Amino acid sequence: MDKSIKDIALQEELRNGNKNSLRKVYVNYRDDFLKYAFTYNLSETDALDIYHDTIIAFNKSFAINKTVLEKSSVKTYLFGIGKNKIYNHFKKSKKIVLVKDQKEDGYDSISIESVEPTMEQIALSKALNKISKSCRTLLQLFYLRNLSIEEILKVTDYKDANTVSSHKSRCMKKLKELVGK
């Protein structure tokens, strides 16, 4: 993705803690973000709360962590943070299950389902309790925390990425066998 010079300059200002730049991001993307949040059937209050949390996380990412966006724009990065905040909002309420459902506009939808675990979820939970702790930890890091192989490598004692990949593959095979029983 070819980024504009304005976007690159804005990132630099954000890294330097420029409050006017943060205000510009807040104002410029607020309405678009709220429209996006409303596609998840959020109330206006919840959408605004999530947007404020998103802006705080966004600012922290630039001002404290000195984030440099190489493959995305400021807006894309902001909306990525926001999407995760929306998902976390729904996960905390435990009233919905996230469902991958691509629409024409490219947004995922969320459908409300029963709070009771399904038979598949119960079987998966039992199977997860039967596999080794190292497998369970690896699968949780990869699938629940959405860490990449390289990120898992950094937070664990594996010697290289190939070892992580092959161990994950063996763990998934074992888990599938247990669930299939």
Side-chain angles (χ1 to χ4, degrees), residues 3 47 59 102 104 146 164:
K3 289 188 301 217
N59 184 48
Q102 288 293 336
E104 290 178 24
N146 294 321
V164 175

Side-chain angles (χ1 to χ4, degrees), residues 142-175:
F142 189 79
Y143 291 104
L144 296 179
R145 293 191 52 206
N146 294 321
L147 296 183
S148 68
I149 298 294
E150 290 76 25
E151 291 168 326
I152 292 171
L153 187 59
K154 291 177 185 173
V155 299
T156 60
D157 295 330
Y158 290 101
K159 66 177 186 172
D160 60 34
N162 289 335
T163 305
V164 175
S165 292
S166 62
H167 190 223
K168 182 181 82 63
S169 182
R170 286 191 304 274
C171 292
M172 280 303 297
K173 182 177 179 184
K174 178 69 175 169
L175 189 62

Side-chain angles (χ1 to χ4, degrees), residues 110-156:
I110 297 175
S111 63
I112 297 176
E113 294 185 8
S114 172
V115 185
E116 297 297 317
T118 64
M119 295 301 287
E120 293 85 5
Q121 290 169 329
I122 293 169
L124 180 60
S125 178
K126 288 179 181 177
L128 281 168
N129 289 327
K130 291 179 182 177
I131 62 174
S132 70
K133 184 177 180 181
S134 65
C135 274
R136 193 169 39 253
T137 301
L138 176 61
L139 294 176
Q140 287 172 340
L141 290 172
F142 189 79
Y143 291 104
L144 296 179
R145 293 191 52 206
N146 294 321
L147 296 183
S148 68
I149 298 294
E150 290 76 25
E151 291 168 326
I152 292 171
L153 187 59
K154 291 177 185 173
V155 299
T156 60

Side-chain angles (χ1 to χ4, degrees), residues 31-171:
D31 290 341
D32 287 343
F33 185 89
L34 292 178
K35 286 178 193 171
Y36 172 69
F38 293 148
T39 65
Y40 290 95
N41 295 323
L42 288 168
S43 69
E44 185 172 358
T45 304
D46 286 342
L48 282 169
D49 286 345
I50 291 169
Y51 186 60
H52 293 148
D53 290 345
T54 299
I55 288 292
I56 291 168
F58 175 85
N59 184 48
K60 179 182 176 188
S61 180
F62 279 97
I64 296 172
N65 299 335
K66 305 296 183 194
T67 297
V68 176
L69 303 178
E70 296 177 7
K71 295 187 178 186
S72 68
S73 68
V74 168
K75 183 178 180 180
T76 303
Y77 186 68
L78 178 72
F79 276 55
I81 293 171
K83 181 178 180 180
N84 287 327
K85 296 279 184 194
I86 291 169
Y87 283 3
N88 289 337
H89 169 78
F90 285 121
K91 283 180 186 177
K92 285 178 186 173
S93 71
K94 295 185 181 182
K95 292 182 181 174
I96 59 134
V97 177
L98 300 180
V99 179
K100 268 292 204 208
D101 181 21
Q102 288 293 336
K103 294 187 175 184
E104 290 178 24
D105 57 8
Y107 297 127
D108 295 335
S109 70
I110 297 175
S111 63
I112 297 176
E113 294 185 8
S114 172
V115 185
E116 297 297 317
T118 64
M119 295 301 287
E120 293 85 5
Q121 290 169 329
I122 293 169
L124 180 60
S125 178
K126 288 179 181 177
L128 281 168
N129 289 327
K130 291 179 182 177
I131 62 174
S132 70
K133 184 177 180 181
S134 65
C135 274
R136 193 169 39 253
T137 301
L138 176 61
L139 294 176
Q140 287 172 340
L141 290 172
F142 189 79
Y143 291 104
L144 296 179
R145 293 191 52 206
N146 294 321
L147 296 183
S148 68
I149 298 294
E150 290 76 25
E151 291 168 326
I152 292 171
L153 187 59
K154 291 177 185 173
V155 299
T156 60
D157 295 330
Y158 290 101
K159 66 177 186 172
D160 60 34
N162 289 335
T163 305
V164 175
S165 292
S166 62
H167 190 223
K168 182 181 82 63
S169 182
R170 286 191 304 274
C171 292

